[in-house]
Amino acid sequence: MRWQTGVCAAALGLAVFGVGTAQAIENQTWRFGLEEIEGSVQYEYAARFGELMNERTDGAVTVQLFPYGQLGGLTDIYDAVQSGAIQLAFGSGFLGGTVPESQLFSLNFILTDDEWTNTQILNSEEFRKNEDFVDAFRNRDLHPLAVVPEGWQVWGLQQPVRTPEDFSGIAIRTMDNRLLRETYQAYGADPTTMEYGEIYSGLQLGQIEGNIQPVFAHEEMSFYEVQDYLVFANQAQFIATFMGNRDWYDGLSDELKEIVDGVVVDLVEYIHDVQVQLNTERLDVITSNSDIQLVELTAEEREAFRELSLPVRDTFVEMVGERGERLLNLLLELVEEHED
Ligand code: 6CS
C-alpha cells in the first residue's frame, strides 16, 4: 500500500490530500486476455507486466492471465476488452474487424529489415502516442498501450516457394483481415481465413496447405509437424498491440497511469530480447524434431514479393481513409529517418 501522509496530519488523525501526498492504490485485479498460449511471446510479456505492476504498486495490482482458448476465439477476446469484461488484451491480425487501422501492421515490406529498429520506431512516443493511432483505438472503446513485434512472419508450406509463380494456387491460411488476403492474392496464392486453433487440423486434413507465423508459434502450436518447409522471406514481422478498455483506462488515477506507462516502456527491450531468444530456441527444437526444410529467400527473390506488395498500400488507404493514410505516412517517414 502506498501511503504518504504528513506527520502532523497523522498526529491529528486527519487524512491529507494535497501537494506531495498520494492516496493508497486500492487492491485490484486486472484480467488480461491473450491471443496465444502459455509459453508464447504474449504470455511472457503479460507475465512480466503483471510482476512489474505488482512490484510497483506494492502488491495492490494483480494481473490475471487468460491464455488463448480460455475466453473463446480471437474476436471473443476483443469483444471482452471492448465491453470491459476484461481490462487488458493483445490484438493482432484478427483485430482488423474491430480497429481497421490496425491492419497497418499487416502490410508487408513497410518497416526496416532490422527487428530492433522496428520495435523502437513502433514504441517511440511519436508513433505510440500519435493522436491518430490512439484515436483509432479509443473510438472503438479501447486504449493502445504498446506495440509488440513478436518475430518475423515465416511461411509454413508443403512445397518450397521462392517466387510468386511458386505460390500459384497454394491455399494459405491468413489471419482474418482483408489486407492480408489481398497481399497473398497479389503474391499469387489462394488465401483463406481460419481460427488460430483450427490451423493444425486444417493442415492435417488438407483444407489449407500453408500458414504464416513467427517461428515460436510454428513450434508451440505444433504446425511444423504437418508442414514440410519453412520459408523465410522477412516480408513482415508479427505485430500485436497491447491495449486496455478505454473507460477502465480513463478511470485509473494519474499515478497508476504513470506506473503503467513506465512498465510498458521498460518492457520494450525486455520483450524484444525474449522474442529473439524464443524464436531462435524454437527453431532448434523444430529442426531437431523434424526433417522440415528451411528456405531463405535472397534479396533479389524478396524484391519480387516487395514489388507485388506495394499496391496493397493503396487498398489500405481506400479501406481506412484519411486517418489510416496519415498513419501509414507517419510510419514510412519514421522508417526513412532511421534508414538515413
Ligand atoms: O495466426 C494467428 O491467428 C495467431 N498467431 C500468433 C503468433 N499470435 C496470435 C494470432 O492470432
Side-chain angles (χ1 to χ4, degrees), residues 35-36 42 74 78 92-94 150 153 173 175 194-196 199 211-214 216-217 223 238:
E35 298 175 301
E36 296 166 3
Q42 290 188 6
L74 292 163
Y78 316 145
S92 59
F94 274 67
E150 301 186 22
Q153 286 282 52
R173 178 269 183 185
M175 291 183 283
M194 191 177 272
E195 176 68 37
Y196 193 35
I199 298 175
N211 97 101
I212 310 149
Q213 302 292 339
F216 80 86
F223 302 147
F238 179 94

Side-chain angles (χ1 to χ4, degrees), residues 49-312:
F49 175 80
E51 276 169 18
L52 292 178
M53 281 308 307
N54 195 260
E55 263 170 48
R56 294 183 192 179
T57 59
D58 295 336
V61 171
T62 302
V63 178
Q64 190 184 3
L65 309 191
F66 292 88
Y68 178 65
Q70 289 190 8
L71 299 174
L74 292 163
T75 52
D76 296 318
I77 302 172
Y78 316 145
D79 290 348
V81 67
Q82 267 187 314
S83 72
I86 61 173
Q87 289 75 21
L88 298 163
F90 271 112
S92 59
F94 274 67
L95 191 64
T98 309
V99 182
E101 292 84 348
S102 69
Q103 292 174 90
L104 179 63
F105 300 142
S106 293
L107 286 169
N108 283 197
F109 295 102
I110 53 161
L111 290 165
T112 77
D113 290 346
D114 181 70
E115 290 194 279
W116 176 233
T117 302
N118 297 338
T119 300
Q120 286 175 293
I121 290 173
L122 293 165
N123 285 286
S124 62
E125 298 255 321
E126 252 172 308
F127 186 81
R128 181 174 70 99
K129 296 205 170 164
N130 172 275
E131 204 181 326
D132 285 320
F133 183 62
V134 173
D135 284 352
F137 286 80
R138 288 187 63 83
N139 290 353
R140 281 93 188 193
D141 301 329
L142 300 165
H143 185 92
L145 295 166
V147 184
V148 182
E150 301 186 22
W152 291 109
Q153 286 282 52
V154 177
W155 301 329
L157 295 164
Q158 314 301 32
Q159 58 197 75
V161 165
R162 286 194 166 276
T163 66
E165 292 71 41
D166 294 338
F167 244 145
S168 179
I170 292 182
I172 192 155
R173 178 269 183 185
T174 67
M175 291 183 283
D176 187 15
N177 79 55
R178 184 173 149 205
L179 256 288
L180 283 171
R181 284 190 292 273
E182 298 252 351
T183 302
Y184 282 87
Q185 251 155 20
Y187 292 166
D190 181 12
T192 177
T193 294
M194 191 177 272
E195 176 68 37
Y196 193 35
E198 289 167 10
I199 298 175
Y200 186 92
S201 62
L203 287 167
Q204 220 176 15
L205 298 172
Q207 291 163 329
I208 49 169
E209 300 161 281
N211 97 101
I212 310 149
Q213 302 292 339
V215 169
F216 80 86
H218 280 293
E219 194 276 330
E220 71 186 11
M221 299 296 283
S222 305
F223 302 147
Y224 75 97
E225 292 174 1
V226 279
Q227 301 259 240
D228 296 328
Y229 291 86
L230 284 183
V231 179
F232 296 77
N234 285 18
Q235 77 289 358
Q237 286 168 277
F238 179 94
I239 298 172
T241 305
F242 171 34
M243 55 199 185
N245 171 274
R246 185 194 59 201
D247 294 346
W248 164 81
Y249 180 80
D250 290 349
L252 295 179
S253 64
D254 288 346
E255 186 189 8
L256 256 182
K257 280 188 188 135
E258 235 172 76
I259 297 174
V260 169
D261 208 52
V263 170
V264 299
V265 168
D266 289 350
L267 284 178
V268 172
E269 195 168 349
Y270 171 82
I271 202 61
H272 171 75
D273 292 346
V274 167
Q275 72 86 353
V276 169
Q277 191 190 341
L278 279 185
N279 282 304
T280 308
E281 286 173 2
R282 304 277 177 90
L283 187 58
D284 287 343
V285 174
I286 291 176
T287 51
S288 310
N289 292 346
S290 72
D291 52 11
I292 201 160
Q293 302 289 303
L294 307 185
V295 175
E296 203 175 318
L297 298 202
T298 63
E300 208 178 308
E301 287 166 339
R302 286 182 72 215
E303 185 54 26
F305 288 101
R306 197 186 78 83
E307 277 170 25
L308 291 171
S309 76
L310 295 178
V312 184

